[in-house]
Structure formats: C-alpha cells, structure tokens
Amino acid sequence: MKKSMFSHAPDIVPVRFAKGMSVSELVLAMGSSSFEARNVYNGSSLLKRMIDEGGVIWLGIAGAGIAGGMGGMVISLLEAGFIDAICSTGAQVYHDLHFAFGLPVKAIGPRWDDNELRKHGDTRIYDVGIRERETLEAQDRIIRRFVRESYGILSKSPLSSWEFNYHLGDWTNRTARFPERSFTATAARLGVPVFWDSLSNHSIAMNLVRTDREGFPIAISPQRDVFDSAAIAYSAGASGFVILGGGGPKNFIQQTGPTVSQILGVEFEGADRGLQIGTAVEREGSLSGCTFSESVTWGKYKSADGENLVQVWGEYSVIFPVVTAYVLDRCEQRKSKNLVSEMPKLIQRLESAL
C-alpha cells in the first residue's frame, strides 16, 4: 500500500475551552479545528506576519461596517501602526464623520415598516438607524462648511482623494466634538492616506455638486488617485492587503500592481500577501477582483501561495473583530510610516522609473 499523502499533516486533537480564555487563545484553538474556524486562524496568523515583518499594509473597507460602529477597530489598528494606507468607499468616510460630530446613529432592529420610517424622517442601514434631518442633513452642512472654510487649500490644484480626505480629517480634528471616534481624523493625525474607490458614488461628492454651484468649485482627479496609489505599491518593498467585504476598494487596492507593470511599463510583480474577509463567491462575479489565486494571473499578487493569500468566508462584522483583537494582543506596536508626508518622494520615485 502506498504511503498516505496526509503523512506530514498535523493531527487534529480536540481542544477543550476553559473559563477566562483570551481572544488569542480562542483563535489558536480555532486553528486546531477545521473549516472556516481554521481559516480564521490562518488569516489572523497571516496578518500577524504582515505586521511583524514590517511591510506596507493596505486596508480596504467596503460595505457598511463603519456606519455600524466598526470604525473603532480601524482606529485601534491605526494607532498601533498596523495600517499604512486605506481605500474606503466615500460613504464610509461620510458616515464615519457622524461619530466625530456627535450626530445620532442608533442601534435598531432590522424589521420595520419602511414606509412609516420615511414618514417619520427616519432612514436605516439594516439595523443601523439614522435620522434624515438630524444626521444626514446635518452631515451635509458640515461637509459644505469644510469646503468653504478650507477652500484656499482645496482649490489650489486638482486633488487626489487621499489629499481631500487628509484635509477633511485634519479639519475634523480641529473642529469636531469627538475626533477620536473617527478613523478619517485618526488617519490624518497619523499620516495614513485614505483613498476613495469612487469619486462620485457617495454623499460627499453629492455635496461637492452644491458647493461647486455656490462658488467653491474643487477638482478631484481619478488619474492622480491611480498614480499615487501605484506609487505607494511600487516603493513599498513587501506589501500586504487586508480587504473587508471586497467591492470597489478591493479592486482599487489590487490594481496598483497592474498599473505599474502593465500600464506604466515598469517591472513590478504585485503584492506579497492578501487577506480578504467576505461572503461573496466567484461563480457569478460578485467576488470583486476575483479570487486571490485568479488575481495572480492579472499581476495583482506575486504568487498563488496559500500561506500568503487567505480568503475567509464570513461576514466581516463577525470575523474582523476577532482578527483585530488577535493582532493587537500578539504584535508589538509599530511606528506609523506617515505615508502622507512621504508621498512626494514616492511619487517622484515612480516618475523616475518611467
């Protein structure tokens, strides 16, 4: 009989749980299990290696997690020095600011008569309750006030989205009641660039339509976003992507490699590592930017290595807190790379390679 192909695999031994287990101990126990539990351990271990080995780490944020209060986890990772660049939907940045300015966001149940909610001036994101006037319209006024008060610096030249968000976060730190509750404000304080995956598909852009017509026109350049994000990737050395939910942010982050190699014609192999947490599948195309293995064929990653590319199938409001708690417990804090201050050098480095 031939020798088993499983010979070198570790044995599965049932792990007993004990009162007072830490999150780290829980994750380690999950690693001794199977299915997605083991995959959560694999993803947590991968992020730990990304942090410990010092490369540039991107965070992609899709969905509505920030509106649901998950910004605190992002803030914790930023303050620990574990996130160096972010791509978020514009909607996440918009809703993030509600917390900084103390606008009402309520924890509600998911089942309502939505016709009645509309009559009462209420809106919702599943189980997140938001007032139209006291939250959304108030936030709109705040965005427009930011544009008016910061117009001198916003209007000098076409901006990348990270520049707009840096100034927005910096202004929030100076004017908001609770800036410590905002990942946008925290990122600005630490010099972490925050890109948008789309320049038009959110309420901030909707408000810029109005400020343009009120005499405060500003321009945001998609070409600058693409080039500046590619410049970060090109100069990163080792790099890793952490992607919550997929969507546009996933594709924006992953396209940095092909931008350098395929579009700009500069030799580049793509990112070293990737961790995605989401429920989409590739069969009907909703796994935006495809599987990690498939992404290798596009030059988005260096190699289809199962240890360095981990996809956790699960809703990220459940999985991300566990992964975050694990690395905060297991990793030494890093000093922020402050890529905002380094951007002119990074851009010039890529320009020189052309």
Side-chain angles (χ1 to χ4, degrees):
M1 182 177 292
K2 292 184 178 180
K3 184 178 180 180
S4 171
M5 296 180 68
F6 304 148
S7 298
H8 300 293
D11 294 327
I12 292 179
V13 178
V15 176
R16 296 179 64 177
F17 281 29
K19 183 178 180 179
M21 286 180 70
S22 68
V23 175
S24 289
E25 291 169 336
L26 171 64
V27 171
L28 291 172
M30 293 169 74
S32 298
S33 183
S34 58
F35 312 119
E36 287 308 308
R38 188 194 300 163
N39 219 18
V40 171
Y41 166 77
N42 291 338
S44 301
S45 298
L46 173 59
L47 180 53
K48 181 179 184 301
R49 283 193 286 118
M50 290 186 200
I51 294 167
D52 290 344
E53 295 178 15
V56 169
I57 301 176
W58 281 82
L59 177 66
I61 314 173
I66 300 300
M70 297 186 71
M73 301 169 207
V74 177
I75 292 168
S76 297
L77 292 172
L78 287 168
E79 291 184 333
F82 296 168
I83 300 298
D84 303 302
I86 293 174
C87 181
S88 168
T89 63
Q92 299 274 35
V93 172
Y94 177 82
H95 291 302
D96 170 66
L97 297 178
H98 302 339
F99 303 102
F101 288 93
L103 306 180
V105 181
K106 299 289 188 178
I108 63 173
R111 293 175 178 82
W112 293 83
D113 182 334
D114 289 312
N115 290 324
E116 285 301 310
L117 289 184
R118 181 63 179 165
K119 293 176 184 177
H120 284 261
D122 292 318
T123 188
R124 67 185 181 96
I125 306 170
Y126 188 59
D127 61 353
V128 178
I130 300 174
R131 290 287 291 167
E132 181 170 346
R133 178 174 296 175
E134 293 90 333
T135 309
L136 300 180
E137 292 182 9
Q139 188 66 72
D140 294 337
R141 289 192 295 272
I142 289 168
I143 295 294
R144 297 194 294 269
R145 180 162 67 92
F146 157 69
V147 171
R148 291 192 297 270
E149 293 182 5
S150 306
Y151 188 65
I153 195 166
L154 296 177
S155 60
K156 286 183 178 180
S157 61
L159 302 168
S160 61
S161 64
W162 72 262
E163 290 175 305
F164 181 94
N165 285 323
Y166 171 75
H167 294 305
L168 176 59
D170 182 57
W171 181 84
T172 298
N173 278 316
R174 290 183 279 106
T175 61
R177 184 180 177 188
F178 306 109
E180 70 279 1
R181 298 179 182 178
S182 162
F183 86 82
T184 307
T186 303
R189 174 168 56 85
L190 297 173
V192 175
V194 178
F195 292 82
W196 290 329
D197 68 309
S198 167
L199 301 186
S200 60
N201 188 26
H202 46 81
S203 293
I204 295 177
M206 291 159 62
N207 277 285
L208 296 182
V209 169
R210 177 165 170 175
T211 52
D212 278 4
R213 281 152 181 76
E214 292 175 342
F216 300 93
I218 63 173
I220 303 179
S221 167
Q223 293 95 325
R224 286 205 56 190
D225 267 12
V226 172
F227 192 89
D228 291 0
S229 59
I232 293 174
Y234 180 69
S235 297
S239 60
F241 301 158
V242 180
I243 299 162
L244 305 181
K250 175 185 178 183
N251 193 65
F252 180 92
I253 292 171
Q254 290 190 154
Q255 76 180 15
T256 53
T259 297
V260 177
S261 61
Q262 297 173 23
I263 304 302
L264 298 177
V266 176
E267 186 174 348
F268 189 72
E269 292 187 323
D272 299 88
R273 301 181 176 115
L275 167 63
Q276 179 174 8
I277 305 169
T279 57
V281 296
E282 71 269 25
R283 290 180 177 86
E284 42 31 309
S286 65
L287 187 61
S288 180
C290 58
T291 65
F292 280 149
S293 181
E294 185 180 334
S295 296
V296 173
T297 69
W298 291 81
K300 297 175 181 179
Y301 297 93
K302 290 181 179 178
S303 174
D305 181 347
E307 291 188 359
N308 289 325
L309 298 174
V310 176
Q311 290 182 254
V312 181
W313 191 91
E315 206 275 294
Y316 78 71
S317 74
V318 178
I319 308 300
F320 184 53
V322 176
V323 175
T324 297
Y326 179 82
V327 295
L328 288 173
D329 184 55
R330 292 273 168 165
C331 299
E332 295 294 326
Q333 290 196 0
R334 308 192 309 181
K335 183 179 179 181
S336 173
K337 290 183 172 57
N338 198 348
L339 293 182
V340 165
S341 66
E342 294 294 314
M343 283 303 297
K345 295 179 184 177
L346 304 182
I347 292 168
Q348 182 56 48
R349 193 170 299 161
L350 182 54
E351 291 278 10
S352 298
L354 299 180

